[in-house]
Amino acid sequence: FIIAFSFLIITSCKNENESNLIIKAEKTLEATPNEENAKALVKAIIDEYEKVKDQPAKIALLKKGLEVANKFDLKQESSSFKLGIITEDPESEDSGNILLEMAKDLKSRNKVEVADIMFKGIATNYESLESKAEAEMTDPTINPDTLIFKLSQTIFPKDDPSNINKVAAHQYVDICEAYALSNPKSEASVEYLFKGIQMSRSLNSFKKSLSLCDMILKKYPDNKKAASALFVKGFIMENNYKQLEEAKKLYLEFLEKYPKDELADDVATLLNNLGKSDEELFKSIRK
């Protein structure tokens, strides 16, 4: 239900000043206010966001992008900017209000259990929004562990484990993500995110997997699951997107950051065999 922010990023023009691109796009949109020009401004904002290192500046850009996206009803872009704001500054009041909006939207689309997980997290972690979140909840006793367990029993039918229940699997991922977003300080959030990564890979939802990997790497870089998230990210880029150069960067980053991790030998092997044909791999194995 939340679109991965990283996949809205486009390649920037290296020979132009990024701030000038935003100004130019703003003037074009002001002169001709339509969806095409709004999307052009959104792209310019995202380019600038990727270049800026200062967190307040990054947050300001995300808020600017959200304002444009909402004004022109760009739903995918709006969701992406919301996720970006929450990720950059999860403890701010703005993040709490955005989470509340997202939960209400989920509830309006009849994703009641997922919405309740988020409402409960908001009530627990944002005191000023506690009463608003509780007023929206359908089931205040809801428990993510119980939901996850029940769903896991229905996702892979015993009579045919290969026939995955996609509706239940997507709900499983949504619950994991909703809990992590609305409970940013909880250690359990990392575990839920990793469960979501594993299930989204089973669904071949690789953009979602990468988005959840990025959430772990950005918000919980010191957690032991960060190494696994980086490994999965590299593996997906190599095997599912065939982006070998990007995979190489990620594998090298892994070996630099986590040289003693239990996955280090596997990563080194993947790196050494990157781009090899089946025949070359066979010869290597024989040797």
Side-chain angles (χ1 to χ4, degrees):
F1 67 90
I2 298 172
I3 306 299
F5 182 70
S6 59
F7 279 86
L8 287 179
I9 297 169
I10 60 168
T11 304
S12 60
C13 292
K14 302 298 183 183
N15 60 343
E16 291 188 65
N17 182 281
E18 297 294 339
S19 296
N20 287 340
L21 286 177
I22 292 178
I23 294 170
K24 182 179 178 181
E26 284 180 320
K27 289 180 178 178
T28 302
L29 180 61
E30 186 178 349
T32 311
N34 58 31
E35 182 177 316
E36 181 182 355
N37 289 334
K39 286 187 174 182
L41 175 55
V42 163
K43 289 177 180 179
I45 290 169
I46 292 171
D47 275 337
E48 179 70 3
Y49 168 86
E50 284 302 300
K51 299 295 181 183
V52 169
K53 302 299 181 184
D54 179 63
Q55 190 193 36
K58 290 173 85 73
I59 294 170
L61 284 165
L62 291 170
K63 289 180 178 179
K64 186 183 188 74
L66 179 60
E67 184 180 349
V68 175
N70 286 343
K71 184 176 181 179
F72 288 87
D73 199 28
L74 306 177
K75 296 188 185 303
Q76 178 173 321
E77 289 82 354
S78 176
S79 294
S80 300
F81 284 119
K82 286 177 181 178
L83 180 58
I85 292 169
I86 293 167
T87 303
E88 287 291 344
D89 193 10
E91 297 178 38
S92 76
E93 190 62 32
D94 284 338
S95 294
N97 285 317
I98 288 171
L99 282 169
L100 194 60
E101 288 177 21
M102 294 168 76
K104 288 179 180 178
D105 179 57
L106 288 166
K107 186 177 179 179
S108 71
R109 291 189 282 128
N110 207 33
K111 294 190 175 187
V112 178
E113 290 178 320
V114 181
D116 276 354
I117 293 293
M118 192 170 281
F119 284 132
K120 192 168 185 177
I122 295 165
T124 302
N125 298 292
Y126 300 88
E127 289 184 8
S128 62
L129 301 173
E130 183 177 354
S131 59
K132 291 182 180 179
E134 288 178 345
E136 293 283 352
M137 287 187 72
T138 303
D139 178 11
T141 66
I142 198 162
N143 184 294
D145 284 330
T146 303
L147 279 177
I148 291 273
F149 178 76
K150 286 181 179 178
L151 287 168
S152 66
Q153 303 302 299
T154 64
I155 290 171
F156 301 103
K158 291 180 180 179
D159 56 337
D160 184 9
S162 64
N163 186 22
I164 187 171
N165 181 338
K166 292 186 177 180
V167 173
H170 280 294
Q171 187 179 4
Y172 181 107
V173 175
D174 286 351
I175 287 169
C176 290
E177 190 170 20
Y179 180 90
L181 286 171
S182 57
N183 294 275
K185 292 183 178 181
S186 172
E187 285 293 320
S189 291
V190 186
E191 298 298 328
Y192 279 115
L193 286 171
F194 207 77
K195 287 177 186 288
I197 290 168
Q198 293 170 314
M199 187 58 69
S200 56
R201 288 181 69 200
S202 297
L203 286 163
N204 293 328
S205 297
F206 300 116
K207 286 186 178 182
K208 173 61 68 179
S209 300
L210 291 174
S211 173
L212 299 180
C213 284
D214 285 338
M215 284 179 67
I216 291 177
L217 292 167
K218 188 173 184 66
K219 296 173 71 172
Y220 310 99
D222 298 324
N223 189 280
K224 61 182 180 180
K225 289 290 186 184
S228 298
L230 187 56
F231 170 81
V232 171
K233 188 175 180 180
F235 192 85
I236 290 173
M237 296 308 293
E238 177 188 359
N239 294 282
N240 302 110
Y241 287 105
K242 308 301 180 185
Q243 294 187 20
L244 301 187
E245 283 303 313
E246 183 62 25
K248 182 179 179 179
K249 289 179 185 177
L250 292 167
Y251 289 152
L252 288 171
E253 182 183 347
F254 183 101
L255 293 175
E256 182 182 349
K257 287 184 175 179
Y258 312 108
K260 296 182 180 180
D261 189 86
E262 60 184 13
L263 291 170
D265 288 343
D266 296 313
V267 172
T269 300
L270 289 170
L271 187 60
N272 289 333
N273 291 309
L274 198 64
K276 288 184 179 179
S277 65
D278 289 344
E279 184 180 354
E280 289 172 320
L281 286 172
F282 179 70
K283 287 180 179 178
S284 177
I285 291 168
R286 268 180 52 184
K287 183 179 179 181

